[in-house]
Amino acid sequence: MLDLTTKDVLERKALRVNPCKTCQPAGAMFAALGVHSCMPHSHGSQGCCSYHRTVLSRHFKEPAIASSSSFTEGASVFGGRSNLNTAVKNIFDMYAPDVIAVHTTCLSETIGDDLTSYITDLDLPEGKHVVHCNTPSYVGSHINGFSNMMMGFMNYLTRKSGALNGKTAIFPGWVNPGDIRELKRIAALMGVPATFFPDQSGVLDAPMTGTYAYYPEGGTTLDEIRGLGDSSGLIALGEIIGLAPAEMMKKKWKVPYALLPLPVGVAYTDNYLIALRNAATGEDNIRPPVPPELEAERGRLVDLMLDSGQYTYQKKAAIFGDPDVVIGLTSLCLEIGMIPRYVITGTPKEDFTRKIEALFAKYGMEGCTAKANADLFDLHQWIKNEPVDLLIGSSYGKQIARAEDIPFVRAGFPVLDRYGGPLLPIVGYGGGMHLIEKITGALMDRYDRDCADEDFEVVM
Amino acid sequence: MANNILDERQCSISGVDQKGRGVACEKESVSGAVSQRACVYCGARVVLNPITDAYHIVHGPIGCASYTWDIRGSLTSGSETYRNSYSTDLRETDIVFGGAGKLTKAIDELAEKASPKLIFVYATCIVGVIGDDIEAVCRSAEERHGIRVVPVKAPGFSGTKTQGYKLACDAIMQLMLPHSGQPKQFGVNILGDYNLAGEMWIIKGYLEAIGIPVISTIAGDSSYGKLIRAPGAALNLVQCAGSSEYLAERMDGELGIPYIKVSFFGVEDTVASILRVADALGDPVLSANARDFAAKRTAEAMPFIEKYRPKLEGKRAAIFVGGGYKAISLIRQFNELGMKTVVVGTQTGKKDEYETIGALADKDTVILDDANPAELEQFMLEKHADILVGGVKERPLAYKLGIPFCDHNHERKHPLAGFEGIENFISEINLSINSPVWGYVRGCEEIG
């Protein structure tokens, strides 16, 4: 691998090399794990389910339970109805979830399985549910699969009773459990009662107790999903991943929404606070003040940015990963004076490119490149032509980092080769401190490694 | 705990006194059971992946390529090509109008820019349904570029992972057959070793120390050039029988190379395998060398085993691995340490292997095929397992149950084969069983 990437940028139209995305069903499975007492179910071949579980297990270092329709030749010819019927019966008999969340695969999509009718015809045990969404692997990426699964749940379960429930719905997007905990803490401090959907905290960071529960205590409950239509408002985080579910809330249940970038860095966390403050504004139109605790956190983050700024200012970064996380990371890098030289996502979504270019323009950055539908081979070739000082992204960046000898900060999904990341936030002011600690640490370790003896100092 | 066993699954589990007879295996998974198995494509890919200078193009939507990018710790002494991910990343229009054109183009782009010698093209689920003629695409690409372009038709639904192993073996045969006429030479091939953590190198080192040259290895640390030398060997050694016995049989029938099964896990099987290889070659000098070598290395290994034996003796082990042959070695290895195997499961074990397991294990050992987490949990708790040996998906399950774990699959970081492997295996088991962290898992009740 290391010797394969050439400096001459190769024009490719058909060949994908070293992808920066995966397929929709993975996202659907991850989203479904954020629902309490839910068995994610992959309607396709055995391998899909096994691969998604493996990548989730490797990232979170937790069990990731999910079942499969285990398609055979017969199912691929005659359709997967009987596989689904058998699966649903077996799952309720043996694993007893409250809900089975079915997603399709490229196979079941292409043979034209009609999940809506299969599910309507099911004879379900009292109080149990089966929901589904379509996740054709050849459309979009895992990011679409995540949004589609959210909409699948809402489609089947969400209702409007006519009376508001006094809660704000918050869609956290594709983040780690540590991020969700931080987003919840901030909402609570701002005095906003909220329903987080989906919510993998407590599920994919379940504490060690010496017992194994298929369905740990976390996750959005079915009642909470039912009640989403009665929310007074919605804050959807992640402008790419949150758009379609937010639109659905507005169209179907007339819930107004604020669609925000993932709150990474100062400005985007400010936006989250503003949205929460709006949500907390009562009929008297009095906006509650930002609590001193958060005010102080913001101050500490800005203080840290100033203290460490000399080590980040004008340093070039390459950032890759999922669109919303990358938009957030790019904003944070710009806030600390870095130059985000290359910014890519594998997800085919031109909106991403526009948003990154708007960030470049806001900070007066010229000569930086943003690209959606890109892969890590592209990125590696660009870096060979014009190197960067820092690489930020998933574990798959480690090959580039090693080949080009670049300091590397792991963020986003998947991180397969480090421990503890999913427990710690990158969102909020606290998440910003965590990221800056990592970024400056990586840059300064490199300086210490490479500098001359006379420049090697205890105080930096 | 309630009975967590599906009726359909009862026949795949053997309990008291059945001794592994009648464990229904080599069956398809039950829909809705949380099987730990993967698919046909996965089986084919894991066997072929370690061919280091091959370009593996996955024809299908991106997922199958993403998940198999640099998956196994198969080490290389040569090219790093196989550690990249290549795919046609099929989109909706390709599904509607067919993906053969895109595949042709992808091969051309690669052939023009990277000068490959060997390309594998994997057809995934969807290709099996939309009917792209990948054989025709590969054939014409071979002619156009003068290289080997081998189709591997591995739609995930077309069988079990074992079917994928078979397809991979067929692909390897396709590469070797044109070179079947080469003169025979003294030496062996190692089949079914993927050089995880460099294990194949260890075995190769033993054979060479005894005086047995290794002609080719399939597929750990192999390359196109090395693969096509394999038909010249005198004997095949089959390490992972689950994936490669079929290849050995084909090579026996079509290339006239006999084979023996070997296993290098644990002292007993390592020694027995070294002797059997030497004896099979029919040279008394080699046999004598082998006996000296085995005696010397066993003597060197014993103090280590004896040192740890008291810490491990009497502990109960659960095993859940891919193939039956490895499970057999592990039972013997646990016996050497004075440990008792209380649960044995495999993903794709065969009938005869389950019978051997039944003969080796105690009469109350639970034996099960294609186990799911519910069953593993039930039997590990029921039998009070002190450690689970398994793969990636079993690790977090074991930990949640408070059961120590040892990875004997793709994620092993130290070689577990040969005499070196014995030390690593014992160290890992000891580390996991005797970790101080287990003292804290009961939570705040410890605080009082």
Side-chain angles (χ1 to χ4, degrees), chain A residues 410-425:
Chain A
R410 286 163 181 79
F413 180 89
V415 175
L416 310 168
D417 63 335
R418 289 294 184 273
Y419 290 83
L423 302 174
L424 301 171

Side-chain angles (χ1 to χ4, degrees), chain B residues 14-15 17-24 351 353-359 365 367:
Chain B
S14 156
D17 284 339
Q18 287 170 280
K19 302 229 104 192
R21 277 190 298 274
V23 176
K351 207 170 175 354
E353 292 164 346
Y354 278 114
E355 280 170 12
T356 311
I357 291 170
T365 299
I367 303 170

Side-chain angles (χ1 to χ4, degrees), chain B residues 169 172-173 176 191 218 244-251:
Chain B
C169 294
I172 291 169
M173 280 305 284
M176 291 192 303
L191 271 52
I218 302 171
S244 296
E245 191 167 8
Y246 169 77
L247 176 65
E249 271 166 16
R250 278 200 68 181
M251 289 176 79

Side-chain angles (χ1 to χ4, degrees), chain B residues 25-26 162 241-243 245 324 346 348-355:
Chain B
C25 54
E26 302 173 69
T162 312
S243 63
E245 191 167 8
T346 84
T348 54
K350 294 180 179 144
K351 207 170 175 354
D352 58 324
E353 292 164 346
Y354 278 114
E355 280 170 12

Side-chain angles (χ1 to χ4, degrees), chain B residues 11-317:
Chain B
C11 58
S12 293
I13 300 166
S14 156
V16 184
D17 284 339
Q18 287 170 280
K19 302 229 104 192
R21 277 190 298 274
V23 176
C25 54
E26 302 173 69
K27 285 178 38 162
E28 279 155 356
S29 298
V30 177
S31 296
V34 180
S35 165
Q36 309 291 76
R37 273 182 185 168
C39 62
V40 179
Y41 161 69
C42 177
R45 180 67 193 260
V46 295
V47 171
L48 295 175
N49 194 61
I51 301 172
T52 58
D53 61 352
Y55 288 73
H56 301 266
I57 300 183
V58 183
H59 186 39
I62 196 66
C64 303
S66 281
Y67 302 122
T68 47
W69 177 9
D70 207 10
I71 36 167
R72 300 187 75 153
S74 299
L75 305 193
T76 172
S77 60
S79 172
E80 308 252 17
T81 297
Y82 71 119
R83 302 189 63 180
N84 288 289
S85 165
Y86 301 94
S87 158
T88 49
D89 189 6
L90 291 183
R91 311 310 297 170
E92 194 156 21
T93 46
D94 305 316
I95 306 308
V96 177
F97 300 109
K102 196 173 189 185
L103 175 60
T104 302
K105 207 159 179 192
I107 296 172
D108 289 351
E109 286 176 358
L110 197 58
E112 280 157 25
K113 283 150 191 166
S115 34
K117 287 193 238 39
L118 168 62
I119 297 175
F120 290 109
V121 175
Y122 300 83
T124 58
C125 284
I126 201 162
V127 176
V129 176
I130 63 176
D132 286 353
D133 187 351
I134 73 159
E135 281 173 341
V137 170
C138 292
R139 212 163 35 239
S140 86
E142 282 202 330
E143 286 163 15
R144 210 163 45 253
H145 301 291
I147 56 170
R148 293 309 308 267
V149 184
V150 181
V152 184
K153 292 167 75 176
F157 58 82
S158 59
T160 63
K161 194 173 173 183
T162 312
Q163 173 65 15
Y165 297 151
K166 217 172 143 187
L167 293 170
C169 294
D170 287 335
I172 291 169
M173 280 305 284
Q174 261 195 60
L175 295 173
M176 291 192 303
L177 281 176
H179 306 274
S180 60
Q182 57 189 297
K184 290 283 172 198
Q185 46 182 317
F186 177 69
V188 300
N189 297 319
I190 301 174
L191 271 52
D193 191 305
Y194 301 99
N195 204 27
L196 300 182
E199 287 180 348
M200 188 277 292
W201 292 333
I202 291 176
I203 310 307
K204 193 177 171 196
Y206 294 172
L207 296 173
E208 285 170 354
I210 295 164
I212 302 169
V214 175
I215 310 286
S216 192
T217 57
I218 302 171
D221 194 26
S222 67
S223 62
Y224 179 60
K226 289 190 214 164
L227 270 183
I228 59 175
R229 288 206 297 270
L235 179 69
N236 277 334
L237 314 183
V238 183
Q239 164 92 306
C240 170
S243 63
S244 296
E245 191 167 8
Y246 169 77
L247 176 65
E249 271 166 16
R250 278 200 68 181
M251 289 176 79
D252 191 0
E254 294 164 55
L255 300 169
I257 306 175
Y259 74 91
I260 57 171
K261 287 207 246 180
V262 292
S263 171
F264 291 91
F265 297 118
V267 177
E268 190 181 334
D269 280 0
T270 300
V271 169
S273 294
I274 290 171
L275 299 184
R276 281 183 36 240
V277 175
D279 291 345
L281 289 165
D283 179 344
V285 178
L286 289 179
S287 295
N289 288 352
R291 257 180 292 278
D292 291 347
F293 180 85
K296 178 166 169 282
R297 295 299 300 263
T298 304
E300 285 167 8
M302 285 329 275
F304 192 87
I305 296 174
E306 291 311 322
K307 181 175 154 200
Y308 280 93
R309 207 180 147 96
K311 291 177 193 262
L312 300 172
E313 202 155 24
K315 302 276 187 199
R316 292 167 299 267

Side-chain angles (χ1 to χ4, degrees), chain A residues 184-231:
Chain A
K184 281 183 176 173
R185 188 182 69 90
I186 295 172
L189 283 169
M190 294 293 288
V192 177
T195 300
F196 277 75
F197 173 61
D199 178 5
Q200 291 85 0
S201 67
V203 180
L204 289 171
D205 63 351
M208 180 70 208
T209 59
T211 55
Y212 169 57
Y214 298 139
Y215 315 108
E217 278 178 25
T220 315
T221 64
L222 294 185
D223 276 339
E224 287 173 325
I225 298 173
R226 283 187 197 103
L228 286 173
D230 293 333
S231 306

